[in-house]
Amino acid sequence: MEYYPTLQELLRHSEQSRKMFEALHMDQQVALQEQRQNIHTFADLQKAAQSFVHREHP
């Protein structure tokens, strides 16, 4: 699995990650960019995105 030092690098170099990120609501994208600096892989992004789903649909 590809590892990138920042979320921005991940999105720049991983089409799969970029597509998932772009499918998120704008508020979720902003939250990930501002608060989740520990996203380095597609799996990290997937896990973070799932946390939004669980919060919205408990």
Side-chain angles (χ1 to χ4, degrees):
M1 182 170 293
E2 298 288 328
Y3 180 94
Y4 296 96
T6 65
L7 173 59
Q8 291 307 314
E9 286 292 312
L10 174 65
L11 298 176
R12 188 174 298 123
H13 298 286
S14 169
E15 183 176 350
Q16 181 182 30
S17 296
R18 185 172 51 255
K19 285 180 179 179
M20 177 188 288
F21 184 81
E22 290 173 351
L24 296 172
H25 188 276
M26 184 61 72
D27 291 343
Q28 295 169 334
Q29 291 179 12
V30 170
L32 288 174
Q33 290 176 17
E34 290 179 349
Q35 301 169 10
R36 303 299 284 261
Q37 296 304 313
N38 59 339
I39 299 173
H40 305 285
T41 66
F42 176 75
D44 292 341
L45 179 59
Q46 199 170 30
K47 186 175 178 180
Q50 282 290 3
S51 73
F52 289 118
V53 173
H54 291 299
R55 272 189 236 144
E56 293 173 3
H57 305 287

